[in-house]
Amino acid sequence: MKRDIFSSMKDTILDTSAVIFDVKRYAIHDGPGIRTAVFFKGCPLRCRWCHNPEGTETFPDLLLNSTICASCYTCLKLCPNNALGSDKSGALTPFRELCNGCGLCVEACPYDALQLAGRQVSLKALLSELERDRIFYDQSGGGVTLTGGEPLLQHEFVIALMKELRNRSIHSVLDTSGYAPKEIFRRAAAESDLILYDLKLVDEHRHKEVTGVSNKLIIDNLKWAANSGLDLVIRIPLIPGINDSDVEIRDKAKFLAALGNIRSVNILPYHRGGLEKARRLGESSSFDEFEAPSEEMLNMALKIFRDHGFEVKTGG
Amino acid sequence: MNERVRRLRERSLQTEPTISSERARLVTEFYSGPGARGVSAVMQRAMAFKYIMENKEICINDDELIVGERGPSPKATPTYPEVTCHTISDLETLNSRPKTSFRVTEETKKIYSESVIPFWRGRSMRDRIFSEMTQEWKDAYDAGVFTEFMEQRAPGHTVNGGTIYHKGMLSLKEDISRAIAGLDYYNDPEAFSKKEQLCAMSICADAIITFARRHSDLARRMSANEKNPQRQAELLRIAKICRRVPADAPRDFYEALQAYWFIHLGVITEYNTWDAFNPGRLDQHLWPFYKKGLEENSLTREGAKDLLQAFWVKFNNQPSPPKVGVTAEESGTYTDFALINVGGLKRDGSDGVNELSFLILDVIEEMRILQPSSMVQISARTPDSFLIRALRIVRTGFGQPSIFNSDAIVKELVRQGKIVQDAREGGASGCVEAGAFGREAYILTGYFNLPKIFEITLHNGFDPRTGKKIGLQTGTPESFDTFDKLFAAYKRQIQYFVDIKIRGSNVIERLYMDNLPAPFLSILIDDCIARGKDYHAGGARYNTNYIQGVGTGTITDSLSSINYNVFERNRLSLKSLASILDRNYDNEEILRNIFLNKTPKYGNDDDFADSLMQRVFEAYFDAVDGRPSPRGGKYRINMLPTTAHIYFGKVLGATPDGRKAEEPISEGVSPVQGADRHGPTAVIKSVGKMDHIRTGGTLLNQKFTPQLLNDEDDLVKLAHLVRSYFRLDGHHIQFNVVSADLLKEAQVHPERHRDLIVRVAGYSDYFVDCGTELQDEIIRRTEHQAL
């Protein structure tokens, strides 16, 4: 019963409509100034530490926050697909394979315990939502950040959105994994004012192991972007046991230094924020729990990048 | 902070507040003695003031640089039986209540029962006020529809201007004499009462000089016995300074602070004025002395800081005079709201920030004491460095300084009819109230419970708590078939209760005018001398009366819930809603949560809710603004609660926004706690839809966790947030940095804390949306960062 929103939307993407799973205002760690971040649904990568697991799939995800759920069963009575039931203890239990993401339960839940990650939004409606914080963008040199998921999965919309933002003199930041066909990446890059470029691992084999995809596209797009002199900030998630070894960090720093034109690196230390969302998605098993990096580890990473001549900071 | 200041500060913190019977005894002696007979009310006041200043016990304490106390010793708090006469049971309550208690000795109780109570019972202003109020007024007051400021404390709310820094009392006495000489008995029918007023002012000027000189004499006597040569020299300097000021104008930084302090003590001894007294634009007033001292090498930056810190301690030594009953609930705090203004604009409109402004911020940061309160005024011209410096103090989580918009204050005051230069020299005092410092009597008359009036509207004029009819009969719930009809009924009820409130206030104002004038305060405020009129009687250049609207968030969300759930979604009828509210949502948790979670709320930049806030604002504004007061001033509104939102919640049943009976209502113009779920920019957009310029002050509180303010970048963004709010004409914003304890509370009760945003790592999220592991981690970090 899972409905692939992209297949059902193929015609409407050109009518500039997209699926997003959040619009977050006062985003202050995703580019300059005060920003509004738009989270696009769907991601080709499956990083085991993902902190937005509700953004990876291309179908709407039902999230259940059991600590808030009062087991009133208002939702249960409404679901047209019998996708909601209760377990022996009476706790609400979603049967996600039956859920088609219609959202009736979410709309009705009195406690806001149910949420749907994935709503369709027209370009026009999204722009008016984004323009609400214009005074803050203007004041702070902020703007809009397109993130996800992987925004370039919905590239036509994303490009159209950035064009419209530019027409309105609103600064746009593209936060991307870089995992996109080069034509698409280049077109999108041209419309953005700044790219936050995620780099997990340089080693292709390891990359595939922990994200599920090769990093060839990512590296190629990055090289092109660096060569073209685009405004780039490299964001590196620091995941203990995955990419935090001294050698790994040095390799990455050397690799980036060799690209030239890159000045700025952000280190994003792993945190457990994704686990709760994975739990709410019923997907705990698909994600690993890691330790948060120690202060020493973080400082070491910062120092290595600094020694290679980068402006480096923690967080975005 | 040097060792001396550390000791002074520590001693002030450790001293327990007590009730002193001294002032009550002296004022009773004077009024029951022969001196009070056969003279006008204003002369009685002047002579009573003189009697207190000549006879009260004075002290100079170890290490002090700035001297003088209101009571016989620090934190010994006097009472004002001519305004409100405490009963023995009041005194016992003060002694035993768990919060803001004052120790009361048996001796004090004895003096009260033997002389103070027998003399003042039935004569105090409070007794007179209650005997003059109508039944409608008493019913509304008892129901908690409004409070009355002047039933226990004298009208005050005033702020010092610049006069005392360039004019001594002797010179002001000359002004008074000239005014007397210029009285025209042939053509001015008020000439004689003006003469009485001016003579009374002159007596008060002498009294404050005497009071200062008594300190000079004491310092000289103490120096004779002082073994430590350094302290001996200090005492001799104190003796010299107290001989000079406030009789003559101060010549240096030290004298300026001491001059102000004597004036301050004079005002708060004459009456228990609301909001004590206030040095106002301290950095502006002291700047010439500071600059001159540095240029002449007679003052160092460190020396100035020590003096300012010693000055700060003096404020902390004066707890707010104790209130009883409802008034204690509406502002249950030791703080007396002396709000020092730093930054802002100069008279000519240029930026007022100077080196001393930064130094005062250092003082605020180091002192970290309850009193005085402090704020920064930020205009479009204020440098960012100053705002960021202030935010760096805010980050430490001590609630000060609060942040005000100078440009909004100027616009508000100009709209009220002040000339722009006077407006620029003004600021905010008390909580957030705008005023033309040194030139305006702006009296707060009471809080006004906007949600309570809606409850009465829903009950066709009856108060459901008592079953008493106290409002108009504007219709039963069944009779409102549209939202607009319901709102029209609410508007009529607002008008009705504002009328009752204003009728009462006009009577009270007249009672003070005729019976308890304030000749000492009148010396200080322009143009009381020139007009020969008392501060309480329209002597000030500008006169304003405020009624403070409370519960913006609660009333907006209540109306939104009705408009949305009853009239738009037809979820239930207004009649059944009213009955569910009467039963306090008993067995209606699901519905209550729909009201809480699935209904448009103020604070989310949602026009559905925000437009209702605007309608309430307009209805309230129309009922109050521009109405005349006996002093020749006008009534205006502002939107602030102090702590009245707690009392107002206690007298209010369940509300349609999902709030249960007796819980606090929203404070200031902030959204209902937990109702704002789209972050601070959405809050600011919502609150920015209120027309702040037509108020005399609004109060917005925002909560922040310390991690959101970790690095410089975060502070810069916070500064932008403030600037954006001010571009929307926001009046004031205060940041409360959240404690680890509150986060723990939020773990247990997520439903109450859905608005709490925390920084995780490289991003921020709602605290209640973080998993337990992460929550625990954030709590640990918060504990770690707490100072």
Side-chain angles (χ1 to χ4, degrees), chain B residues 228-241:
Chain B
N228 178 341
Q230 192 203 329
R231 182 61 181 160
Q232 189 176 44
E234 284 170 6
L235 286 165
L236 285 170
R237 181 145 191 217
I238 290 170
K240 253 190 183 157
I241 291 171

PDB file of all heavy atoms in Angstrom, chain B residues 228-241:
ATOM      1  N   ASN B 228      41.601  53.002  62.052  1.00  0.00           N
ATOM      2  CA  ASN B 228      42.183  52.760  60.726  1.00  0.00           C
ATOM      3  C   ASN B 228      42.280  54.089  59.956  1.00  0.00           C
ATOM      4  O   ASN B 228      41.262  54.704  59.655  1.00  0.00           O
ATOM      5  CB  ASN B 228      41.277  51.757  60.001  1.00  0.00           C
ATOM      6  CG  ASN B 228      41.759  51.462  58.592  1.00  0.00           C
ATOM      7  OD1 ASN B 228      42.539  52.219  58.012  1.00  0.00           O
ATOM      8  ND2 ASN B 228      41.298  50.349  58.060  1.00  0.00           N
ATOM      9  N   PRO B 229      43.501  54.506  59.662  1.00  0.00           N
ATOM     10  CA  PRO B 229      43.660  55.834  59.041  1.00  0.00           C
ATOM     11  C   PRO B 229      42.967  55.947  57.679  1.00  0.00           C
ATOM     12  O   PRO B 229      42.468  57.007  57.317  1.00  0.00           O
ATOM     13  CB  PRO B 229      45.170  55.990  58.892  1.00  0.00           C
ATOM     14  CG  PRO B 229      45.762  54.637  59.097  1.00  0.00           C
ATOM     15  CD  PRO B 229      44.790  53.820  59.892  1.00  0.00           C
ATOM     16  N   GLN B 230      42.923  54.832  56.957  1.00  0.00           N
ATOM     17  CA  GLN B 230      42.271  54.903  55.643  1.00  0.00           C
ATOM     18  C   GLN B 230      40.768  55.147  55.801  1.00  0.00           C
ATOM     19  O   GLN B 230      40.188  56.000  55.132  1.00  0.00           O
ATOM     20  CB  GLN B 230      42.512  53.603  54.878  1.00  0.00           C
ATOM     21  CG  GLN B 230      42.120  53.717  53.408  1.00  0.00           C
ATOM     22  CD  GLN B 230      41.814  52.362  52.793  1.00  0.00           C
ATOM     23  OE1 GLN B 230      42.382  51.341  53.190  1.00  0.00           O
ATOM     24  NE2 GLN B 230      40.913  52.351  51.817  1.00  0.00           N
ATOM     25  N   ARG B 231      40.156  54.389  56.709  1.00  0.00           N
ATOM     26  CA  ARG B 231      38.725  54.556  56.944  1.00  0.00           C
ATOM     27  C   ARG B 231      38.443  55.943  57.518  1.00  0.00           C
ATOM     28  O   ARG B 231      37.423  56.562  57.197  1.00  0.00           O
ATOM     29  CB  ARG B 231      38.212  53.449  57.886  1.00  0.00           C
ATOM     30  CG  ARG B 231      36.711  53.500  58.152  1.00  0.00           C
ATOM     31  CD  ARG B 231      35.904  53.327  56.865  1.00  0.00           C
ATOM     32  NE  ARG B 231      34.452  53.386  57.070  1.00  0.00           N
ATOM     33  CZ  ARG B 231      33.580  53.641  56.100  1.00  0.00           C
ATOM     34  NH1 ARG B 231      33.991  53.865  54.861  1.00  0.00           N
ATOM     35  NH2 ARG B 231      32.285  53.670  56.354  1.00  0.00           N
ATOM     36  N   GLN B 232      39.370  56.404  58.374  1.00  0.00           N
ATOM     37  CA  GLN B 232      39.200  57.734  58.959  1.00  0.00           C
ATOM     38  C   GLN B 232      39.127  58.794  57.845  1.00  0.00           C
ATOM     39  O   GLN B 232      38.265  59.675  57.852  1.00  0.00           O
ATOM     40  CB  GLN B 232      40.370  58.014  59.902  1.00  0.00           C
ATOM     41  CG  GLN B 232      40.174  59.274  60.715  1.00  0.00           C
ATOM     42  CD  GLN B 232      41.298  59.473  61.712  1.00  0.00           C
ATOM     43  OE1 GLN B 232      42.468  59.289  61.374  1.00  0.00           O
ATOM     44  NE2 GLN B 232      40.942  59.841  62.934  1.00  0.00           N
ATOM     45  N   ALA B 233      40.037  58.646  56.893  1.00  0.00           N
ATOM     46  CA  ALA B 233      40.030  59.603  55.778  1.00  0.00           C
ATOM     47  C   ALA B 233      38.729  59.500  54.985  1.00  0.00           C
ATOM     48  O   ALA B 233      38.159  60.520  54.566  1.00  0.00           O
ATOM     49  CB  ALA B 233      41.229  59.340  54.868  1.00  0.00           C
ATOM     50  N   GLU B 234      38.267  58.278  54.811  1.00  0.00           N
ATOM     51  CA  GLU B 234      37.006  58.094  54.080  1.00  0.00           C
ATOM     52  C   GLU B 234      35.842  58.769  54.807  1.00  0.00           C
ATOM     53  O   GLU B 234      35.004  59.424  54.188  1.00  0.00           O
ATOM     54  CB  GLU B 234      36.701  56.592  53.922  1.00  0.00           C
ATOM     55  CG  GLU B 234      37.553  55.906  52.863  1.00  0.00           C
ATOM     56  CD  GLU B 234      37.410  54.374  52.890  1.00  0.00           C
ATOM     57  OE1 GLU B 234      36.557  53.862  53.650  1.00  0.00           O
ATOM     58  OE2 GLU B 234      38.161  53.718  52.176  1.00  0.00           O
ATOM     59  N   LEU B 235      35.826  58.583  56.124  1.00  0.00           N
ATOM     60  CA  LEU B 235      34.725  59.174  56.907  1.00  0.00           C
ATOM     61  C   LEU B 235      34.764  60.696  56.816  1.00  0.00           C
ATOM     62  O   LEU B 235      33.728  61.360  56.706  1.00  0.00           O
ATOM     63  CB  LEU B 235      34.798  58.706  58.360  1.00  0.00           C
ATOM     64  CG  LEU B 235      34.352  57.248  58.581  1.00  0.00           C
ATOM     65  CD1 LEU B 235      34.787  56.745  59.961  1.00  0.00           C
ATOM     66  CD2 LEU B 235      32.830  57.116  58.430  1.00  0.00           C
ATOM     67  N   LEU B 236      35.964  61.227  56.825  1.00  0.00           N
ATOM     68  CA  LEU B 236      36.066  62.696  56.719  1.00  0.00           C
ATOM     69  C   LEU B 236      35.576  63.169  55.347  1.00  0.00           C
ATOM     70  O   LEU B 236      34.943  64.213  55.225  1.00  0.00           O
ATOM     71  CB  LEU B 236      37.501  63.150  56.978  1.00  0.00           C
ATOM     72  CG  LEU B 236      37.885  63.093  58.467  1.00  0.00           C
ATOM     73  CD1 LEU B 236      39.381  63.326  58.658  1.00  0.00           C
ATOM     74  CD2 LEU B 236      37.082  64.115  59.299  1.00  0.00           C
ATOM     75  N   ARG B 237      35.874  62.359  54.332  1.00  0.00           N
ATOM     76  CA  ARG B 237      35.403  62.722  52.999  1.00  0.00           C
ATOM     77  C   ARG B 237      33.871  62.652  52.953  1.00  0.00           C
ATOM     78  O   ARG B 237      33.210  63.529  52.383  1.00  0.00           O
ATOM     79  CB  ARG B 237      36.028  61.785  51.959  1.00  0.00           C
ATOM     80  CG  ARG B 237      35.587  62.125  50.564  1.00  0.00           C
ATOM     81  CD  ARG B 237      36.666  61.917  49.526  1.00  0.00           C
ATOM     82  NE  ARG B 237      36.246  62.497  48.268  1.00  0.00           N
ATOM     83  CZ  ARG B 237      36.501  61.961  47.074  1.00  0.00           C
ATOM     84  NH1 ARG B 237      37.218  60.852  47.001  1.00  0.00           N
ATOM     85  NH2 ARG B 237      36.077  62.551  45.978  1.00  0.00           N
ATOM     86  N   ILE B 238      33.333  61.591  53.543  1.00  0.00           N
ATOM     87  CA  ILE B 238      31.871  61.458  53.603  1.00  0.00           C
ATOM     88  C   ILE B 238      31.268  62.678  54.318  1.00  0.00           C
ATOM     89  O   ILE B 238      30.265  63.259  53.858  1.00  0.00           O
ATOM     90  CB  ILE B 238      31.477  60.135  54.321  1.00  0.00           C
ATOM     91  CG1 ILE B 238      31.836  58.933  53.441  1.00  0.00           C
ATOM     92  CG2 ILE B 238      29.991  60.123  54.684  1.00  0.00           C
ATOM     93  CD1 ILE B 238      31.718  57.573  54.135  1.00  0.00           C
ATOM     94  N   ALA B 239      31.919  63.082  55.423  1.00  0.00           N
ATOM     95  CA  ALA B 239      31.430  64.243  56.184  1.00  0.00           C
ATOM     96  C   ALA B 239      31.373  65.478  55.293  1.00  0.00           C
ATOM     97  O   ALA B 239      30.393  66.230  55.287  1.00  0.00           O
ATOM     98  CB  ALA B 239      32.329  64.481  57.393  1.00  0.00           C
ATOM     99  N   LYS B 240      32.417  65.651  54.505  1.00  0.00           N
ATOM    100  CA  LYS B 240      32.485  66.826  53.614  1.00  0.00           C
ATOM    101  C   LYS B 240      31.387  66.780  52.548  1.00  0.00           C
ATOM    102  O   LYS B 240      30.726  67.778  52.265  1.00  0.00           O
ATOM    103  CB  LYS B 240      33.844  66.807  52.893  1.00  0.00           C
ATOM    104  CG  LYS B 240      34.816  67.848  53.399  1.00  0.00           C
ATOM    105  CD  LYS B 240      35.998  67.864  52.440  1.00  0.00           C
ATOM    106  CE  LYS B 240      37.051  68.829  52.920  1.00  0.00           C
ATOM    107  NZ  LYS B 240      38.374  68.489  52.376  1.00  0.00           N
ATOM    108  N   ILE B 241      31.253  65.584  51.971  1.00  0.00           N
ATOM    109  CA  ILE B 241      30.284  65.442  50.872  1.00  0.00           C
ATOM    110  C   ILE B 241      28.859  65.672  51.374  1.00  0.00           C
ATOM    111  O   ILE B 241      28.061  66.373  50.741  1.00  0.00           O
ATOM    112  CB  ILE B 241      30.424  64.044  50.219  1.00  0.00           C
ATOM    113  CG1 ILE B 241      31.759  63.970  49.476  1.00  0.00           C
ATOM    114  CG2 ILE B 241      29.265  63.741  49.274  1.00  0.00           C
ATOM    115  CD1 ILE B 241      32.117  62.586  48.987  1.00  0.00           C
TER     116      ILE B 241
END
